[in-house]
Amino acid sequence: AGVARATVNRLAPGLAVGRGAKARAAATAVRTDQAPEPLGPYSQAIRSGDTLWVSGCIGLIPGTKAFAEGGVVGEAEQVMKNMGAVLEAGGATFDDVVKTTVLVADMADFAKVNSVYEKFFSKSKPARSCFAVKELPLGALVEIECVASFAE
């Protein structure tokens, strides 16, 4: 595809109000065109201090509203590619991930999603939660968010 573009921008000062204002003022938004655009008013990721908070990733092909082919396995593979692109834009890798949350539309797909997931976390084994939910954005079959740490 094209040249990868990633940006990291300080959040607007007006957004830092109330409790946690100091932390939000120090936060930076992460964006890359190598992952789908957010579907709403949120960032692909936020880096604050030694932590990168990656928003939920679904199996859309970047630059489109089309899901990867191959059912839940195809979507899970695309989810992880999208997450990897956001992690990279934020200066992290899968080895830096300390926590994930996996959402599936059908718990019967747990083993299929797990088979893809473990390929990306072969060295590190982050803490994880997995939930079956009634519905995911745009009818996605799987969504995964993560937290990466840069702490020494």
Side-chain angles (χ1 to χ4, degrees):
V3 174
R5 287 182 298 216
T7 58
V8 177
N9 298 313
R10 290 250 177 244
L11 294 180
L15 294 177
V17 296
R19 274 206 274 201
K22 185 175 179 182
R24 284 192 299 280
T28 53
V30 175
R31 186 201 167 290
T32 177
D33 60 2
Q34 298 300 298
E37 290 286 330
L39 299 175
Y42 58 90
S43 299
Q44 289 173 321
I46 295 290
R47 183 165 179 172
S48 181
D50 290 339
T51 306
L52 179 68
W53 305 84
V54 178
S55 296
C57 297
I58 59 176
L60 292 178
I61 299 167
T64 75
K65 291 287 187 207
F67 283 100
E69 294 182 3
V72 72
V73 171
E75 283 190 35
E77 288 171 350
Q78 189 64 50
V79 163
M80 299 307 285
K81 289 177 189 174
N82 294 343
M83 182 181 292
V86 176
L87 285 166
E88 183 179 337
T93 70
F94 284 104
D95 289 340
D96 298 311
V97 174
V98 295
K99 173 69 169 83
T100 64
T101 303
V102 179
L103 306 172
V104 292
D106 185 344
M107 194 55 85
D109 290 330
F110 178 81
K112 292 176 185 174
V113 171
N114 225 24
S115 70
V116 173
Y117 179 97
E118 70 182 347
K119 293 177 193 174
F120 291 83
F121 292 111
S122 59
K123 285 197 273 185
S124 66
K125 305 288 189 223
R128 181 177 84 175
S129 301
C130 182
F131 303 96
V133 297
K134 181 178 177 185
E135 192 174 0
L136 290 167
L138 303 178
L141 301 175
V142 60
E143 179 175 0
I144 304 175
E145 66 179 22
C146 72
V147 179
S149 175
F150 301 98
E152 294 295 322

